[in-house]
Structures are given as structure tokens and as C-alpha cells.
Amino acid sequence: TAKRHGRNQHQRFRPALDVAGDHQLGLVNALRNALATGTQLELHYQSQHRIDSGELVGFEALLRWRHPELGMVSPADFIPLAERHGLMVSLGRWVIEQAVGQLASWRRAGMPAVPVWVNISALQLIQGDLEAQLAACLSEFKVPPRLLGLELTESVLLDERAGDIYPRLSALQERGHQIAIDDFGTGYSSLSYLKRLPVDKLKLDRAFVRSLPEDQADAAIVAAVLAMAEGLGLEVVAEGVEEKPQLEYLASHGCPLVQGFMFSRPMSAADVEAAWLAPPSAPPASPTLEEAVQ
Ligand code: C2E
Ligand code: MG
Ligand code: MG
Ligand code: MG
């Protein structure tokens, strides 16, 4: 099902990761090298839209590694490797710098002023000086913090090694960052936790979206999460929306925001500009719901 669910643009090499340490070490060294030169790494961007109007509301930055022999390697494979081998903090710093630099250049070029969301690994909160890094980078590029959203998974939020996460998130929010809980529903956070945490958005994991609306359990969970989020004042972004029936179910249950292949795949910065930086005479307006579902 990996193929069916869109991993087809990546070279899977998990078997290689499972074999001898030699192989792994080769990959780790290759990744360390990629990080040092920066030439094989890229950030791609996937658009996020308001479900009723199709309006563009943001982009998620997704890391890509173009390995010279393996081709495009999935972040689902190399992020864990980076975490295990002490490369995650540097990799995370590269992502932040790249995203903020891109934001600055898009602002100069007149791109829509929507936030770019970056994924933050637990290790960046534990070992890295994330707050200082963000502040330094944003001030260097003169980008306001409201344009850099932070996506953290439930496991990150629950990782005790990050200390009391509550004041840290509050401080980041006070500075202007928006914070989203990524892959919501797949972790173990309790509802009391959700009530307490300073976050702005929930990203409903695509595991719940995939089989909408046929799967009754998923349909019930999605409806309940949407109702709960609304009551808590949290905006939901549904991940992995690929097909019209999924979109319709989400729209009819009050989901405000969507992201998925139906709207766009993750794209290079150049492709984003080609799509969104059109001359005013011919705006490539975001698809409206009606257009998107055709
Ligand atoms: P995520 O943060 O949940 O990102 C969403 C993933 O879903 C992306 O996979 C995206 O390409 C994919 N996706 C989006 N729409 C659809 C759809 O309609 N159908 C399907 N089948 N998939 C869709 P990707 O880019 O392979 O990234 C996988 C994971 O790797 C991310 O999941 C995130 O956890 C991690 N990741 C990616 N970039 C970074 C990064 O810069 N830092 C960290 N720490 N993790 C990252
Ligand atoms: Mg994410
Ligand atoms: Mg996600
Ligand atoms: Mg996910």
C-alpha cells in the first residue's frame, strides 16, 4: 500500500537500513556529507488551503535528499537515521535556515504572505537551542515569526527530555509563531493535555482521512475530532486529502483546512513560484472547492 499511498516518488531503502551496520554507516556518512555541502538537500513545499474557498493559507516545508545513487530518499527513512546518529540538530537547523531564507526571498518577490510550516524533531527541543536559533535566523532574514509555523508531533510534546514544554510553547507563541500538533490522533496525548497546551492547529493524520467516508470508525473519529477542535478553538488541517469523497466528508463536518495531493504535491521552490507567483493578469488562483473536486 506504500505505493498506492503516494510514496512512489521516493526510493524506498528500508531493507538496506536493516542490514549490516556497514551499510548504515555508509548512509550516515553520506547524509553527514550532504549536510556539510548542502547540495543534495532540498526543501519542498506543499500548499494548504481553506476548504470552502480554496484560498491558499500556507505551505508545509518537507525535506528531500537526492542521494547520487539511491535517488530521492524519503524523509521517513533518513530522519530517523539522522536522529540516531546525532545529525538531527544540524539537519533541523539547515531546514529552519532554508525555510526562513525562502520566506525572505518570497516576500521580496511578492508571493502571497502565507506562513511556511516546518517540522520540528524532539531532539531539536532537547539538544538544540531551538528558541535562540529561530530568533537569530528570523532577525537575520528580517522575517516575522508569524510566517514560520512549527509542527510538532504528539510524541515530541510528550517527550519528557524536552522539559516542561508548556512555557516553551507559550513563549514561542508569544513571539508570534503558530504551533501545530502534527499527525494528530496517532500518538498518546490525553485530552487534558490538549486542553492545557498552547497550540493553534491540529493536523489530522492521513491515516484517518485515507478511508473516508466508507470506513465508519474513521468517519466517527474524524467527526469527533472536528467537533472537539472547534470547541477548543483549534483549527484542523486534514492531511493527505487525495479524493473528492474525502474532501466532501471533511467539508460537511466543518473541517476548515486541507492539505493533500488533490490540491498539490510537495513542490520545489521554483515550482511553487511558477504556480503562485503569476502575473496579476493571469492569477493561478487557488482551486475553489468546486474546481478542486472536478
Ligand atoms: P508529515 O509531517 O506528516 O508530512 C506529511 C507527509 O504526507 C509528507 O510526506 C507528504 O508528502 C505526505 N502527503 C501529503 N499529502 C499527501 C497525500 O495526499 N497523500 C499521501 N499519500 N501523502 C501525502 P514526506 O514528505 O515523505 O514526509 C514524511 C515525514 O517525514 C513527515 O510527515 C515528517 O514527519 C518527516 N519530515 C519531513 N520533513 C521533515 C523535516 O524537515 N524535519 C523533520 N523533523 N521531519 C520531517
Ligand atoms: Mg508535518
Ligand atoms: Mg503530518
Ligand atoms: Mg503524517
Side-chain angles (χ1 to χ4, degrees):
T1 62
K3 193 164 27 138
R4 185 175 167 239
H5 289 295
R7 276 284 165 66
N8 38 354
Q9 75 267 49
H10 300 305
Q11 210 47 56
R12 302 289 293 180
F13 65 95
R14 204 178 291 284
L17 291 184
D18 292 339
V19 296
D22 261 17
H23 224 109
Q24 267 217 28
L25 216 59
L27 269 172
V28 174
N29 286 334
L31 183 56
R32 187 174 286 120
N33 203 48
L35 194 50
T37 64
T39 49
Q40 294 166 18
L41 297 175
E42 283 173 36
L43 272 192
H44 282 199
Y45 301 86
Q46 187 179 29
S47 62
Q48 303 173 332
H49 301 263
R50 200 156 284 289
I51 203 169
D52 50 10
S53 61
E55 179 198 354
L56 176 75
V57 295
F59 291 100
E60 177 174 7
L62 294 157
L63 192 53
R64 300 289 179 258
W65 179 19
R66 261 180 224 283
H67 187 285
E69 282 112 46
L70 297 166
M72 203 63 126
V73 179
S74 167
D77 290 327
F78 72 85
I79 297 276
L81 200 67
E83 288 178 332
R84 277 201 304 278
H85 294 272
L87 296 176
M88 193 59 231
V89 173
S90 319
L91 198 56
R93 183 180 299 120
W94 187 89
V95 168
I96 289 167
E97 282 168 4
Q98 192 72 21
V100 173
Q102 192 63 68
L103 270 164
S105 112
W106 281 347
R107 268 159 73 81
R108 285 193 301 272
M111 276 276 289
V114 295
V116 167
W117 293 80
V118 291
N119 292 283
I120 301 292
S121 156
L123 294 177
Q124 290 173 270
L125 279 157
I126 297 163
Q127 303 166 354
D129 192 354
L130 180 68
E131 288 87 343
Q133 221 180 83
L134 289 169
C137 189
L138 290 163
S139 88
E140 183 193 334
F141 286 99
K142 300 189 172 57
V143 169
R146 73 178 162 77
L147 289 180
L148 190 71
L150 308 173
E151 295 193 4
L152 299 94
T153 62
E154 289 172 76
S155 61
V156 173
L157 297 170
L158 292 171
D159 197 316
E160 285 170 358
R161 293 171 301 167
D164 188 358
I165 198 83
Y166 181 97
R168 297 185 68 181
L169 295 186
S170 289
L172 287 166
Q173 265 189 339
E174 254 155 53
R175 271 202 224 153
H177 291 288
Q178 294 188 75
I179 296 168
I181 303 186
D182 203 357
D183 303 343
F184 183 75
T186 62
Y188 297 93
S189 58
S190 66
L191 295 179
S192 59
Y193 205 74
L194 193 60
K195 174 183 157 189
R196 208 172 75 89
L197 269 183
V199 297
D200 303 286
K201 287 190 163 70
L202 298 184
K203 299 195 73 180
L204 185 63
D205 195 78
R206 78 165 181 273
F208 302 107
V209 172
R210 190 177 288 154
S211 311
L212 290 180
E214 291 82 15
D215 188 296
Q216 286 188 25
D218 287 338
I221 290 167
V222 168
V225 168
L226 288 167
M228 179 190 69
E230 191 177 8
L232 291 171
L234 299 170
E235 262 194 318
V236 173
V237 186
E239 296 187 322
V241 179
E242 295 182 352
E243 290 156 6
K244 178 179 173 177
Q246 298 168 333
L247 189 72
E248 285 174 340
Y249 183 87
L250 291 162
S252 69
H253 287 77
C255 180
L257 306 172
V258 283
Q259 176 180 344
F261 293 172
M262 184 167 175
F263 289 82
S264 83
R265 298 213 162 224
M267 299 185 275
S268 68
D271 287 347
V272 168
E273 285 159 26
W276 299 100
L277 196 60
S281 52
S286 1
T288 62
L289 179 59
E290 294 74 52
E291 285 161 2
V293 299
Q294 267 155 31

